[in-house]
Amino acid sequence: MTVTEVRAGRGVRTPPPARPRRRGIGWRQRLEIAALSGPAILMFSGFVIFPMVMAAYYGFYRWKGYGPPTDFVGLDNYVTILQDSAFHEALWHNGQIVVLSLLLQGPIAVGLALLLNQKIRGQSLIRVLIFVPYVISEVIVGTAWALLLQTNGAVNDVLRSIGLGGLAEDWLANPELAIWTLMLILTWKYIGFAVILFLAGMQNIPEELSEAAAVDGATFWQTQWRITLPLLGPTIRIWGFLSIIGALQLFDLVYIIWGQYVASTAGTSTMATYMVAEGRNAANYGYGNAVAVVLFTISMIIALVYQRFVLRRDSEGQA
């Protein structure tokens, strides 16, 4: 074999390149991981996993909330929940709130975010004013709106003073208006969070795309429709997920404004208010724990379905 052939590699088997050996995680790295993640795991287990396990356990008993549970009833609590018309109404109200929150808050928040993403006078002040309701405590918001919207409250007084007394209504007790009153309050309260979230998402959209579209003759709305909104899709889908879960677990504002009894007659009761009314306030903690398990199960199923069919495209790197 000549030198040329050797250099050309003829007749010589070149061994495959050696694969780099994977170094295992040493005890020091494992100790660091345990030290950093251990407290979070303990907190999550102690305040989420353990309470849910105990709620599932107590849900099989008729329990008054003190002493060890001894009156085992099996699945009777869950059968009662599924057959109770009051729970059906609360579940229906939660469904309405979910749909109306997406249909009302989403478009309004996107419109405000598109407006505030432009250079306008007083932009910072408007952003603050929109976001302020979100950081106000639910107790303060509920108490204030309850005083404003009662029959002799400020809203009806203003309508009467400007000659629109015919529009004065019982905004809180009228079953035909109460759900819309609730949606008005929820939109006012949480629209700021959606606007700030969308504005943050818009900051990640390259300005070169809008500039190129303007050079090609695209109008402002064409640019927003063809470029901004599609690229804002992942942020909108994340907001939708948070909005759905929040609407399913809604409790504080309804309980503060309407109370446990008025909410059911006014058509604003939710699964959470039903749980408190039929569980803690009725001294039937076993039944209340069963309602909590049902609420958790419904939320988990919806979250998994949303993750499977909506958020999956984002996790796979598709816009």
Side-chain angles (χ1 to χ4, degrees):
M1 184 178 296
T2 64
V3 178
T4 304
E5 290 176 340
V6 173
R7 290 179 178 176
R10 297 179 183 177
V12 179
R13 294 182 179 179
T14 57
R19 296 181 179 179
R21 296 182 179 180
R22 295 182 178 178
R23 299 179 59 184
I25 300 178
W27 65 269
R28 181 174 298 179
Q29 288 80 4
R30 292 179 181 178
L31 183 60
E32 292 177 355
I33 294 174
L36 294 175
S37 62
I41 294 176
L42 290 177
M43 293 289 290
F44 183 79
S45 300
F47 290 96
V48 178
I49 302 299
F50 180 73
M52 286 307 307
V53 172
M54 295 305 299
Y57 170 74
Y58 289 129
F60 293 112
Y61 290 87
R62 185 177 291 108
W63 184 49
K64 296 296 183 181
Y66 54 89
T70 56
D71 189 3
F72 182 79
V73 296
L75 296 176
D76 287 353
N77 286 333
Y78 295 95
V79 173
T80 302
I81 293 171
L82 298 179
Q83 294 178 348
D84 190 359
S85 60
F87 179 78
H88 299 164
E89 293 178 0
L91 180 60
W92 169 246
H93 297 156
N94 274 113
Q96 288 181 297
I97 295 170
V98 168
V99 175
L100 292 176
S101 295
L102 296 176
L103 295 179
L104 294 178
Q105 297 180 28
I108 296 175
V110 170
L112 290 174
L114 291 175
L115 177 63
L116 294 177
N117 197 40
Q118 309 301 314
K119 295 181 180 179
I120 59 176
R121 180 176 298 180
Q123 182 184 59
S124 300
L125 178 61
I126 297 175
R127 288 184 180 183
V128 172
L129 292 178
I130 291 177
F131 190 69
V132 162
Y134 178 72
V135 299
I136 299 177
S137 169
E138 279 77 3
V139 175
I140 297 176
V141 171
T143 304
W145 280 103
L147 295 174
L148 290 173
L149 294 174
Q150 59 183 328
T151 306
N152 296 324
V155 173
N156 285 338
D157 288 343
V158 170
L159 292 176
R160 296 188 186 98
S161 64
I162 61 177
L164 298 177
L167 298 178
E169 295 283 351
D170 192 352
W171 305 101
L172 300 178
N174 187 346
E176 297 180 358
L177 295 175
I179 188 66
W180 297 103
T181 302
L182 175 60
M183 291 312 306
L184 172 66
I185 298 172
L186 291 177
T187 302
W188 175 83
K189 177 74 169 67
Y190 296 107
I191 195 71
F193 171 75
V195 171
I196 296 300
L197 190 64
F198 294 159
L199 284 173
M202 290 178 183
Q203 304 308 311
N204 295 324
I205 300 176
E207 295 183 2
E208 292 80 3
L209 298 177
S210 300
E211 295 173 357
V215 172
D216 291 337
T219 63
F220 172 79
W221 292 112
Q222 288 176 336
T223 302
Q224 307 309 316
W225 182 258
R226 299 291 184 179
I227 297 178
T228 304
L229 291 182
L231 295 178
L232 195 63
T235 305
I236 295 176
R237 288 187 283 271
I238 288 294
W239 166 82
F241 176 78
L242 298 176
S243 180
I244 291 173
I245 298 302
L248 289 173
Q249 300 176 352
L250 179 63
F251 168 75
D252 37 22
L253 286 176
V254 176
Y255 196 80
I256 294 169
I257 297 175
W258 281 273
Q260 58 173 323
Y261 302 110
V262 179
S264 59
T265 58
T268 58
S269 60
T270 64
M271 290 185 288
T273 60
Y274 174 87
M275 175 185 66
V276 173
E278 301 297 330
R280 188 195 67 180
N281 294 346
N284 191 356
Y285 288 85
Y287 187 79
N289 280 279
V291 177
V293 173
V294 173
L295 174 57
F296 173 80
T297 303
I298 293 174
S299 301
M300 179 63 68
I301 292 174
I302 293 177
L304 292 176
V305 172
Y306 194 91
Q307 172 69 31
R308 174 64 176 81
F309 294 101
V310 181
L311 295 181
R312 183 180 180 183
R313 59 186 303 181
D314 299 327
S315 61
E316 293 177 352
Q318 299 177 2

